[in-house]
Amino acid sequence: MKAPASASPPTTRQRLLEGAARVFAREGIAGSTTRAIAREAGVNEVTLFRHFQTKDRLITAVVGENFGAQAVSARQPAPGPNTDLRSDLTEHAHRYEKLIKDNLPLIRIMIGEIQHHPDHERQVFKAIFRPSREALVARLEAAQADGRLAATAHPEVLADLFGAMIFMGVLRRNSAHAKLEYSAGSYLATAVDLIVRGAVPAT
């Protein structure tokens, strides 16, 4: 998308970060070269090394730019609890879906290659998945305290199940080979229903 005419042009560092993110998503981390990244950013390789010194430091910067705590919190502010658990879970699911979709190419690469970069793995999962899980656990615990969820329910387990359903739904809908028999809205509503109705107190 073309930036507004009044927007400041990206700095060289920003062009390198954006170019690296595109190359990593396209070629994978291992398959990306500093030469290809510099070419993508429209600079020479010397400029890349002047800003980041090594490819590993560039990877760290890209992870921080896309998955750092500030970047994630700006894109996914935690919603405040309402009185209706179903509405809160639906809002949470929409935010989580958007976060995954916005970062899907990089997330796919990170899942496939991140085991070779344990420090980056911790940063990605700490920034992307942990805040979302913690917010969801807190909301489910509040519902349990209000008697809306069974006392025997496990908020941590429910949060993991719900997060996994949303994550896998996004992956499947973005698979070129998947043939879906339902809409994204139906999938999300069913996931919410499984949590809300499956963990209600026994009457």
Side-chain angles (χ1 to χ4, degrees):
M1 186 172 65
K2 188 176 180 180
S6 59
S8 300
T11 64
T12 300
R13 185 178 190 277
Q14 189 63 35
R15 294 202 335 258
L16 282 164
L17 289 171
E18 292 172 357
R22 291 193 297 271
V23 175
F24 289 153
R26 190 169 63 237
E27 307 292 340
I29 294 175
S32 299
T33 65
T34 53
R35 179 177 296 179
I37 293 167
R39 185 167 57 246
E40 183 82 16
V43 301
N44 59 48
E45 205 171 0
V46 173
T47 299
L48 184 153
F49 287 120
R50 189 168 66 246
H51 280 269
F52 298 102
Q53 288 77 56
T54 66
K55 178 182 173 181
D56 195 61
R57 288 189 179 183
L58 177 57
I59 296 170
T60 299
V62 170
V63 169
E65 178 79 5
N66 290 275
F67 304 113
Q70 286 186 325
V72 171
S73 63
R75 293 194 302 265
Q76 192 195 27
N82 299 313
T83 56
D84 182 55
L85 178 61
R86 186 181 296 274
S87 295
D88 286 347
L89 289 179
T90 301
E91 182 181 358
H92 177 92
H94 281 304
R95 291 174 181 274
Y96 192 41
E97 274 192 339
K98 185 176 188 308
L99 182 65
I100 296 168
K101 286 191 291 187
D102 286 349
N103 293 281
L104 191 55
L106 272 176
I107 287 174
R108 282 176 166 155
I109 292 301
M110 293 296 179
I111 289 174
E113 299 188 40
I114 203 67
Q115 67 270 19
H116 303 301
H117 306 274
D119 291 338
H120 303 147
E121 178 185 26
R122 283 191 292 272
Q123 185 173 356
V124 170
F125 280 83
K126 181 179 179 180
I128 289 287
F129 300 108
R130 188 183 298 173
S132 179
R133 182 181 187 272
E134 288 176 350
L136 183 54
V137 168
R139 182 63 187 92
L140 293 169
E141 287 175 341
Q144 193 172 46
D146 290 342
R148 298 175 188 275
L149 290 184
T152 54
H154 296 280
E156 294 84 359
V157 174
L158 293 175
D160 285 344
L161 289 171
F162 190 61
M165 284 190 285
I166 302 306
F167 186 75
M168 289 306 300
V170 174
L171 290 184
R172 190 156 191 267
R173 286 195 300 276
N174 285 272
S175 170
H177 306 291
K179 182 180 179 181
L180 300 180
E181 301 83 10
Y182 47 79
S183 67
S186 295
Y187 181 93
L188 189 149
T190 301
V192 170
D193 202 50
L194 286 171
I195 301 299
V196 174
R197 297 181 62 186
V200 294
T203 56

